[in-house]
Amino acid sequence: MTIAILTGLMLGGMYALIAMGLTLQYGVARIMNLSYGEFLIAAAFASHWLFTGWAISPFVGLAVVVPLAFVLNFAIYKLLLTPLVRRAPNRDALEVDSILATFGLTFVIQGSMLALFGGAYYSYSFLAFPVQFVGETVAANRLAALGTTILLGLALYLALTRTRAGTAVRAVAVDPFAAQLVAINVPQASALTFALGGALAAAAGVLVSTFLTFSASSGVVFTMKALIVVVMGGVGNMLGCLVAGLALGLSEALVASYVDPGLTLAVNFALFLAVLLVKPAGLFGRATR
Amino acid sequence: MSARVAGFGFLALAAIALLALVPRLGNAYYLALAISLLQYTVLATAWGMFSGPTRYVSLATTAFFGVGAYTVAVLGEILPWPLVLLIAAALGAVVAAIVGLSTLRLSGVYFVIFTFGLTELIRQLVVWFEVNKSRVLGRYVFVDITQADIYWQLLGLAAAVFLLGWLIARSRLGFALRVIGEDETVAKHCGINTTFAKVALFTISATVMTLVGAIMAPRWTYIEPSIAFNSMISFQVLIMALLGGAHRLWGPVLGAVPLTLLFELLSARFPNTFTIILGCIFLLIVYMLPRGVAGLFEKRSTTPGGKTTQRVAA
């Protein structure tokens, strides 16, 4: 029982981290990014390449991959998504357009990774030794990833609530139109937040690659879980992200160890639906529309 | 008006009769190509029937296609063919109704997310069932259906879909859907039962997709979940419907025909980079042709007032 809960918490922490970037992209920049998981897997491949090719530890790799992802996502927002933002007459239209555009992007990135790395599963062994933790044996790499996740989440939370830029970002999330009235550069804030979301996805990808096997086509699953967590927690809500991520991870771990590992996705969806039917705006979301 | 309708009906019948002769040409390659063309035409039209007027993007074409194909894999040898098709259609309708009832009452985003994961969900459930309960993963399909039979069935289905789409567009249900697509809040205030309208049309569209899957299944002799639930189909159908223009009944055909031919060519020439090319084509369409080929035709008939005739006609 302890091990199932512990696994669930670690899994949930990972889901929360994965979803944090998406909740920024969707909540603030209003881009429903269906290629999110692909960016995550691309970062995982980058980390794999750095570790196996250059013997660079994934934690050092973070310092390379994350800024790179930030720049790349900033460019993508400026070049690919800004035309859509300009074209869209309202938020719903932008949602449909961004869904379509990023869905197309999914296949471009996935196809590129398939061409580069093939369809095989990749993994590397980093910190793969057992440690004792609250009376149970767990892998050190999972604990390290969990620790980094907590640090990243805390840093993001403080940045959003304690700094001027963070406050501006939250203002855009609440009302992009009114935010302009208090001299916030909304297009700039949106672009930077989208890039920050992409950088978080990359960080998640690097951390995930230390303890999970991945392949060029496993991005879809990450996108899906991230989407479920974001909607369940309430769009744009960090705390909701954490709670929903933990709930998802716990339920998955419990089902996998007591019912059947093959049914985890079904549990995800059941939980997702159950939350939506009771609270359509998510656990911590406010009904705005 | 009725003379025009009769004229159209006569033309359509003549076209169907002419198309029905394709298997008589005796060329296996052309027949296979014609089957692909029909398959994507029906899928894209069915997709457009729901997603066109409502503007709810459904990414679950594969899920329904796979349900149909897998039903044939399981029941094809046990039951007579018409009964198998009937069961497949019923299964597709039930799945669609469940998905529709649970997500279409909410905002459109939840629907997209759910359809995005639906294929993977159903695939995982099928694999779980096959591994744990029936203990077979991968089934052989030995049914007495020739390529020509598949073609004729698809042609019949295509005719039925166009007739159905035409009837729905003229009915109260079709009008309700157009209002929902324009503004859902207004639709609710007009007294339209928006949930019923959306779920009904989603179910009809999904049933057609399921039938296509069931009809196509005998083309493979061996089916396993990863073949039946291949997400490329969702993607290709979406591209085709968007290129053609999903807001018109005849729009998706304009996308399905050229793209099926193009994909045929590309997948043979560039098997390794096919996905990348597909993604790029898709992005081009989203950016360059947001209203599809059908939208191009409408621009020409713009009235001096600046409003397109489509708006006025609707």
Side-chain angles (χ1 to χ4, degrees):
Chain A
M1 190 69 194
T2 330
I3 190 75
I5 289 178
L6 205 59
T7 315
L9 285 178
M10 284 194 282
L11 205 61
M14 185 184 96
Y15 288 153
L17 173 69
I18 291 172
M20 264 192 283
L22 192 69
T23 207
L24 279 181
Q25 290 188 338
Y26 184 46
V28 181
R30 320 266 157 176
I31 300 292
M32 168 75 124
N33 188 358
L34 289 187
S35 58
Y36 188 79
E38 264 60 38
F39 283 101
L40 194 147
I41 293 297
F45 270 115
S47 172
H48 179 269
W49 182 70
L50 284 174
F51 186 75
T52 52
W54 305 80
I56 295 173
S57 145
F59 289 100
V60 182
L62 273 179
V64 182
V65 176
V66 171
L68 210 65
F70 186 88
V71 173
L72 189 71
N73 276 280
F74 189 78
I76 285 177
Y77 186 86
K78 282 288 180 195
L79 295 177
L80 274 179
L81 299 170
T82 311
L84 295 182
V85 176
R86 292 227 180 93
R87 182 169 95 188
N90 55 40
R91 195 181 161 182
D92 286 340
L94 175 61
E95 224 153 57
V96 172
D97 271 354
S98 65
I99 285 167
L100 292 177
T102 54
F103 191 55
L105 203 59
T106 303
F107 281 79
V108 175
I109 302 172
Q110 205 185 80
S112 312
M113 288 193 298
L114 274 173
L116 279 173
F117 302 101
Y121 278 85
Y122 283 75
S123 69
Y124 55 93
S125 100
F126 169 74
L127 289 183
F129 53 83
V131 283
Q132 293 293 318
F133 185 68
V134 276
E136 295 287 348
T137 315
V138 289
N141 48 23
R142 281 190 177 249
L143 265 188
L146 184 68
T148 319
T149 301
I150 293 171
L151 279 181
L152 276 173
L154 211 62
L156 186 67
Y157 180 78
L158 289 177
L160 281 177
T161 50
R162 295 283 187 276
T163 67
R164 218 179 143 76
T167 311
V169 164
R170 282 186 299 134
V172 176
V174 173
D175 192 334
F177 203 71
Q180 289 178 322
L181 299 178
V182 288
I184 292 171
N185 187 347
V186 172
Q188 194 67 18
S190 294
L192 286 174
T193 315
F194 185 85
L196 185 63
L200 276 173
V206 171
L207 290 179
V208 163
S209 75
T210 60
F211 60 89
L212 272 189
T213 51
F214 54 92
S215 78
S217 44
S218 46
V220 180
V221 180
F222 287 104
T223 311
M224 219 154 59
K225 299 217 159 136
L227 282 173
I228 290 177
V229 171
V230 167
V231 172
M232 255 170 61
V235 174
N237 191 310
M238 288 292 144
L239 192 65
C241 226
L242 184 66
V243 173
L246 288 178
L248 204 65
L250 271 178
S251 64
E252 236 175 61
L254 288 176
V255 166
S257 47
Y258 291 106
V259 188
D260 193 309
L263 290 176
T264 47
L265 210 57
V267 175
N268 283 351
F269 272 90
L271 202 64
F272 175 59
L273 275 186
V275 168
L276 284 190
L277 292 179
V278 182
K279 286 202 76 174
L283 290 172
F284 292 85
R286 274 168 304 166
T288 45
R289 278 188 289 169
Chain B
M1 186 66 191
S2 64
R4 218 179 125 203
V5 171
F8 265 121
F10 181 73
L11 269 180
L13 279 180
I16 293 168
L18 211 62
L19 284 173
L21 291 177
V22 168
R24 293 271 178 261
L25 291 175
N27 186 324
Y29 174 71
Y30 285 127
L31 182 57
L33 194 63
I35 290 178
S36 288
L37 282 171
L38 269 181
Q39 174 199 354
Y40 284 115
T41 301
V42 177
L43 284 175
T45 309
W47 187 89
M49 266 167 73
F50 171 73
S51 298
T54 56
R55 297 180 193 174
Y56 278 61
V57 180
S58 161
L59 304 174
T61 310
T62 304
F64 298 111
F65 183 89
V67 166
Y70 215 79
T71 310
V72 172
V74 176
L75 298 175
E77 289 173 52
I78 311 168
L79 298 172
W81 184 244
L83 196 60
V84 175
L85 286 186
L86 209 65
I87 293 175
L91 269 177
V94 168
V95 172
I98 294 173
V99 172
L101 279 175
S102 45
T103 55
L104 282 173
R105 299 188 301 145
L106 308 162
S107 139
V109 187
Y110 303 145
F111 176 75
V112 177
I113 296 174
F114 208 86
T115 57
F116 185 65
L118 187 66
T119 308
E120 196 62 29
L121 173 68
I122 295 184
R123 195 172 67 94
Q124 209 189 69
L125 286 178
V126 168
V127 169
W128 175 80
F129 185 82
E130 294 282 57
V131 168
N132 290 297
K133 304 291 173 208
S134 57
R135 303 199 179 275
V136 274
L137 193 59
R139 291 166 179 273
Y140 289 93
V141 188
F142 294 124
V143 283
D144 199 15
I145 304 274
T146 62
Q147 297 283 314
D149 290 336
I150 295 179
Y151 178 81
W152 282 318
Q153 288 176 54
L154 281 176
L155 189 62
L157 189 61
V161 166
F162 277 104
L163 186 66
L164 195 67
W166 182 72
L167 287 175
I168 289 177
R170 290 166 60 93
S171 70
R172 285 169 63 89
L173 182 62
F175 187 55
L177 282 167
R178 282 201 297 276
V179 179
I180 293 172
E182 290 292 329
D183 194 323
E184 196 155 343
T185 320
V186 170
K188 272 184 198 152
H189 282 268
C190 294
I192 294 170
N193 186 344
T194 53
T195 305
F196 172 78
K198 286 185 287 185
V199 174
L201 214 72
F202 182 59
T203 309
I204 294 172
S205 141
T207 310
V208 173
M209 291 169 180
T210 316
L211 272 175
V212 175
I215 292 173
M216 291 297 290
R219 245 192 156 188
W220 301 291
T221 37
Y222 175 76
I223 289 185
E224 60 172 30
S226 62
I227 299 176
F229 297 97
N230 176 2
S231 64
M232 276 312 254
I233 296 174
S234 291
F235 189 46
Q236 293 185 355
V237 167
L238 184 59
I239 305 182
M240 290 166 183
L242 286 179
L243 173 65
H247 55 290
R248 286 298 178 110
L249 178 63
W250 44 266
V253 189
L254 299 179
V257 174
L259 283 182
T260 310
L261 297 175
L262 182 69
F263 292 164
E264 195 84 5
L265 198 76
L266 287 177
S267 59
R269 291 275 166 80
F270 310 99
N272 292 325
T273 47
F274 180 56
T275 325
I276 307 177
I277 300 173
L278 218 62
C280 292
I281 294 175
F282 183 76
L283 284 174
L284 273 180
I285 294 170
V286 171
Y287 283 92
M288 305 299 204
L289 281 174
R291 285 180 67 78
V293 177
L296 288 182
F297 286 113
E298 279 152 15
K299 257 184 206 149
R300 291 223 185 102
S301 55
T302 305
T303 51
K307 279 199 163 183
T308 56
T309 44
Q310 188 250 337
R311 285 280 169 114
V312 178

